[in-house]
Amino acid sequence: MAKRIRRTQHNIHAIRASGCPVPTSAFIDTLDPAQIELWFADGAYRAHRLRSATTRLAALPEDDSTSQPPLS
């Protein structure tokens, strides 16, 4: 994790040094190691939740009541 934090800090430094804003959709805009670690953990948790939801959705039967007719 320490290596990932250092690499993220380096990337943020490089982006800021170039005069560009840090793209918050791709990075957290901080150099605080604790906040960067939380950002990574939050991303992993979000990915787990999405993976779990898509797995459950894929397991639903075709004629489940959550199915909706196609839009016309």
Side-chain angles (χ1 to χ4, degrees):
M1 181 58 75
K3 185 176 180 179
R4 290 178 76 187
I5 291 171
R6 282 193 306 276
R7 188 172 44 232
T8 300
Q9 288 172 326
H10 169 77
N11 290 341
I12 292 170
H13 276 295
I15 293 168
R16 287 178 179 173
S18 72
C20 296
V22 175
T24 54
S25 61
F27 285 109
I28 185 169
D29 191 8
T30 183
L31 295 174
D32 180 16
Q35 288 185 1
I36 293 171
E37 187 171 351
L38 284 173
W39 180 72
F40 278 121
D42 183 52
Y45 177 66
R46 187 178 316 112
H48 171 74
R49 284 184 22 229
L50 285 171
R51 209 171 8 258
S52 176
T54 55
T55 301
R56 287 193 319 263
L57 184 61
L60 289 175
E62 288 292 323
D63 62 347
D64 192 85
S65 62
T66 59
S67 300
Q68 300 214 356
L71 296 174
S72 50

